[in-house]
Amino acid sequence: MRPFARRASILLIPASLNLGVVYVVAPVLNGLLARGRTPDAAIGGYAIAMSVMALIALPQLRVQQLTLVFLDDRASARRLWRLVLGFAALSTAAAAAAAFTPARGLILDGVFGTRGALRGEAEAALLALAPFPGLAIVRTHLYGAALRIGRSGLVWAGTITGAAAVIAAAFLIQGLDPDAGARLAALAVSIGAAVETVVLAAGASKALRRDLAAAARPPPAYGAMLRFFAPLLVAAFLPTVTQPVVNAALTRAPEPEASVAAVALVFGASQVFMFALVGLQPTLLALLARGENPALTRRFANGVGLLSLAPLALVAFVPLLTSFVAHTVLGASGRLQDMTELGFRLLAPLPPILVQETICTSALLRVRRPRPLVIVNAIRLVGLLAILLIGVTATDLPGGPIGVAAIGGALVIEAAATVAFGLGAQRRLERDWELPPRALTRAPAGL
């Protein structure tokens, strides 16, 4: 077991760092916003604006898979680049419409029902985030291209440079304008995405020309790529609407500014404590593709879940640590601190539950059955709406705990549905691995 754990950890650590750096940056930005003149409105306004722009940037969640599947040579690279630029152009146009046209009022007033300081902060953040969706799509494609040709150093360079640029820009803006509010975080994220994209583009263009053959086969047709991409996009859309739906509900609940801000703080900080879970799925898929024992991958995943549970439980249930994280680290105070601390306690049991979902999702993908994941995400969305509706209309709870309970409860529902669909796939993998001859029932180790 020790050699296997070592091999798995070697994959898990860089995968988690690469995918999870955003969860390190988010608490830093929220901590700076919490120290401003109107912390509740600033954090809530930025959360609303980012949820809108994340929805517009939806293709970024699946562009990497598209790149990894279809990138074979320079001809396919050019065709992929054109398609990705098309996605980026459409997303940029939509972001510009959301930020600079009367659609901004429809979004902030009609969809989210913002008013007063919260509306002002959300509007300022929308304007500053306008470049983000297009940059995010191009950036994700470039990461996929770097991974496809084995340039892991370029992935690290982009990740580290981008995160450093976001944090540096945020502190610089705070020094120049201490009352920048939500605009501080939005500008920092846009600047970081631009720097990261430039670094990746400069490194990837040379590497692709050097490492890819001129034309190994006819380039993929746009229709084929779109048919592959469309179901992935549908599956990505359903969880992406979670944050906008929650924010729209909480802005209509009591204490809307503190409620939206508390949800942002709780989930931003909790992702840091569950950092290892971010890279668990690609790690499991890589181990299964190399012919590792599926039973051992399951045990390894459960071990990661228990290790992630420990720090989150300590922060949730040890009062000194709870107060230190919520007040000292995140800068919350008063009602915002109360809601944040309660949110940590509500989320404490999640890591082992999310691990079961990851195990079964990886099994479904390994046996090439992705369609159930669309159904799973639809079930999650229904559960989210039901919890929000009950919480807002049938209880007197403040909005912060309702939002955290809705997102956490929806994740539990999603995990249960995934296990229901994927447990058979996991058992099949374990059973097939044990059947002789193993060389015929496992994927080659070099894959």
Side-chain angles (χ1 to χ4, degrees), residues 147 163 241 270 292 335 379:
L147 290 170
V241 301
S270 65
E292 297 282 6
R335 287 294 293 151
I379 294 172

Side-chain angles (χ1 to χ4, degrees), residues 56-139:
I56 293 173
L58 182 66
Q60 72 161 322
L61 299 179
R62 294 295 182 261
V63 159
Q64 191 170 98
Q65 287 94 323
L66 178 73
T67 302
L68 290 169
V69 169
F70 286 96
L71 180 60
D72 293 315
D73 50 36
R74 295 177 199 169
S76 61
R78 287 191 293 269
R79 187 153 292 191
L80 273 168
W81 179 242
R82 295 189 195 108
L83 186 61
V84 169
L85 284 182
F87 290 142
L90 290 174
S91 293
T92 300
F100 298 105
T101 72
R104 180 180 66 212
L106 294 176
I107 294 170
L108 297 180
D109 300 331
V111 177
F112 292 99
T114 57
R115 55 190 179 274
L118 180 62
R119 190 194 189 284
E121 295 289 355
E123 182 175 1
L126 270 179
L127 294 170
L129 283 170
F132 174 76
L135 291 169
I137 292 170
V138 173
R139 175 184 66 184

Side-chain angles (χ1 to χ4, degrees), residues 17-366:
L17 291 173
N18 187 31
L19 295 174
V21 68
V22 64
Y23 302 123
V24 177
V25 172
V28 175
L29 295 178
N30 286 329
L32 291 175
L33 296 181
R35 289 166 172 81
R37 187 172 57 182
T38 55
D40 295 359
I43 296 173
Y46 171 68
I48 288 172
M50 179 53 81
S51 66
V52 172
M53 290 304 179
L55 186 59
I56 293 173
L58 182 66
Q60 72 161 322
L61 299 179
R62 294 295 182 261
V63 159
Q64 191 170 98
Q65 287 94 323
L66 178 73
T67 302
L68 290 169
V69 169
F70 286 96
L71 180 60
D72 293 315
D73 50 36
R74 295 177 199 169
S76 61
R78 287 191 293 269
R79 187 153 292 191
L80 273 168
W81 179 242
R82 295 189 195 108
L83 186 61
V84 169
L85 284 182
F87 290 142
L90 290 174
S91 293
T92 300
F100 298 105
T101 72
R104 180 180 66 212
L106 294 176
I107 294 170
L108 297 180
D109 300 331
V111 177
F112 292 99
T114 57
R115 55 190 179 274
L118 180 62
R119 190 194 189 284
E121 295 289 355
E123 182 175 1
L126 270 179
L127 294 170
L129 283 170
F132 174 76
L135 291 169
I137 292 170
V138 173
R139 175 184 66 184
T140 308
H141 164 69
L142 293 172
Y143 273 127
L147 290 170
R148 173 64 179 82
I149 60 177
R151 297 285 178 167
S152 59
L154 182 57
V155 176
W156 292 119
T159 301
I160 294 170
T161 304
V166 172
I167 294 173
F171 278 101
L172 177 61
I173 294 168
Q174 186 191 47
L176 295 174
D177 184 7
D179 296 325
R183 190 172 68 254
L184 176 152
L187 282 172
V189 167
S190 293
I191 291 170
V195 171
E196 194 172 354
T197 303
V198 169
V199 170
L200 288 167
S205 60
K206 296 179 181 179
L208 289 171
R209 286 195 300 270
R210 183 168 54 248
D211 295 351
L212 291 177
R217 64 186 66 181
Y222 290 115
M225 290 190 288
L226 289 172
R227 284 192 296 273
F228 174 85
F229 191 65
L232 294 178
L233 202 60
V234 172
F237 171 78
L238 294 170
T240 304
V241 301
T242 293
Q243 200 61 51
V245 168
V246 170
N247 289 338
L250 296 188
T251 53
R252 293 168 171 82
E255 304 175 274
E257 291 89 352
S259 297
V260 175
V263 172
L265 288 179
V266 168
F267 278 93
S270 65
Q271 293 293 346
V272 175
F273 300 113
M274 295 189 290
F275 193 78
L277 299 185
V278 179
L280 187 58
Q281 186 175 109
T283 300
L284 296 184
L285 288 172
L287 291 169
L288 292 172
R290 294 171 61 174
E292 297 282 6
N293 187 339
L296 291 183
T297 64
R298 173 172 51 81
R299 293 173 199 166
F300 175 78
N302 285 323
V304 173
L306 291 176
L307 289 176
S308 300
L309 173 66
L312 187 57
L314 288 173
V315 169
F317 297 110
V318 177
L320 287 177
L321 287 177
T322 309
S323 178
F324 174 76
V325 172
H327 179 68
T328 306
V329 177
L330 298 178
S333 58
R335 287 294 293 151
L336 179 58
Q337 181 178 351
D338 294 339
M339 291 186 191
T340 301
E341 292 180 354
L342 179 55
F344 284 137
R345 289 190 284 275
L346 290 173
L347 288 187
L350 271 185
I353 298 173
L354 296 181
V355 165
Q356 306 315 308
E357 177 190 0
T358 302
I359 292 170
C360 291
T361 299
S362 302
L364 284 169
L365 293 175
R366 180 60 186 160

